[in-house]
Amino acid sequence: MNGSRKAILVVSFGTSYVETRIKTIDRIEEDMKERYPDRRVYCAWTSGIIRRKVKERDGLCIPDIMGAMKQIAADGMTELVVQPTHVINGIETDRMMESVMSGRHLFARVSVGAPLLTTHEDNARIVQVIAGELRPKERETLGLMGHGTEHYANSIYAALDYQFKDAGYPNIFMGTVEAYPALDTLLRRVKEQEPERVILAPFMIVAGDHAQKDLAGESEDSWKSRFEKEGFKVSCVLKGLGEYAGVRELLLEHAQTAAEL
């Protein structure tokens, strides 16, 4: 430390899958430390269930947002940037903002960075990142699994599906686990293309429970099983968005923008 009293709090939902945590959430935090050496980097997870699980199983004590903010203030930090690793401005971001505002009085200055997909430019960049990392070959189709939410921000998934097509990637489709576009919609649209192979990948920061079970699991209702039942050859790429350098770079830039406000 160089005497700076500035900090960054990286806020994630959390995951109980150690391997993907190291490659995604931990990597994002390490990138923050490297990019902004004048700021001390802290972390918080919003899922109480996951925090309790990793504490009991691994002895890993990760605070919630208020706990982290109190510790940051106790460490003498006076300026704080809160940067979520959330994909969209949904329910988790709304709840995060409530917690941040509750602890706002602890600091002279608090600013909040945007989630991954906040502007049209963000969406366009991520379309190119995904296409560059996972672009399916001719006669292949890529199906991306977003989380989905009842929040109005869920419309971003349908918009992204359109943006992939508009950017020249007609064989990349967006779907969600818990909202629209749902798997049935994805199946119907992919069948229209008659691909020889379907590639499935999570569109979430970590490749956790949804990726391991809902996407690539062996249960009859997993995405993998449903596509195989339709006669497709299926391969799954279990990489969270946090593993892609282009995704991490965009989050770093959001933190920088917040710091400059």
Side-chain angles (χ1 to χ4, degrees), residues 97-152:
M97 289 303 300
E98 291 177 4
S99 296
V100 170
M101 290 302 101
S102 295
R104 169 70 181 82
H105 66 283
L106 297 170
F107 304 91
R109 182 174 184 271
V110 175
S111 55
V112 181
L116 183 69
L117 301 179
T118 299
T119 67
H120 173 73
E121 290 73 20
D122 293 341
N123 300 349
R125 280 182 59 175
I126 293 305
V127 162
Q128 295 303 323
V129 169
I130 294 299
E133 295 279 357
L134 296 171
R135 186 173 184 175
K137 300 175 183 177
E138 188 176 350
R139 305 291 295 163
E140 290 182 339
T141 293
L142 171 63
L144 298 168
M145 174 191 272
H147 189 280
T149 174
E150 61 188 24
H151 194 281
Y152 65 85

Side-chain angles (χ1 to χ4, degrees), residues 6-10 32 36 39-42 80-81 83 255:
K6 300 177 180 180
I8 296 176
L9 174 59
V10 181
M32 290 284 180
Y36 309 115
R39 292 178 179 267
R40 189 181 297 186
V41 177
Y42 297 79
L80 178 64
V81 170
Q83 179 57 54

Side-chain angles (χ1 to χ4, degrees), residues 86-97:
H86 304 153
V87 175
I88 65 173
N89 288 274
I91 293 171
E92 290 299 320
T93 301
D94 288 349
R95 291 172 178 167
M96 179 195 76
M97 289 303 300

Side-chain angles (χ1 to χ4, degrees), residues 87 116 130 202-206 239-244 247-248:
V87 175
L116 183 69
I130 294 299
F203 192 81
M204 307 175 195
I205 292 296
V206 303
K239 294 178 67 174
L241 293 177
E243 294 190 47
Y244 303 129
V247 169
R248 297 195 303 274

Side-chain angles (χ1 to χ4, degrees), residues 230-245:
E230 295 294 334
F232 294 111
K233 296 178 180 178
V234 179
S235 59
C236 299
V237 180
L238 296 183
K239 294 178 67 174
L241 293 177
E243 294 190 47
Y244 303 129

Side-chain angles (χ1 to χ4, degrees), residues 13 16 45-56:
F13 182 79
S16 62
W45 288 5
T46 58
S47 172
I49 293 174
I50 294 177
R51 289 200 314 275
R52 287 190 293 273
K53 183 173 182 178
V54 298
K55 182 178 180 180
E56 294 170 0

Side-chain angles (χ1 to χ4, degrees), residues 17 145 183 200 208-229 234-238:
Y17 288 80
M145 174 191 272
L183 176 57
L200 299 176
D209 225 36
H210 286 305
Q212 303 289 337
K213 297 178 180 178
D214 297 319
L215 183 118
E218 296 303 323
S219 65
E220 63 180 15
D221 60 348
S222 75
W223 282 29
K224 175 176 177 286
S225 296
R226 289 284 303 279
F227 272 100
E228 288 178 337
K229 187 177 180 180
V234 179
S235 59
C236 299
V237 180
L238 296 183

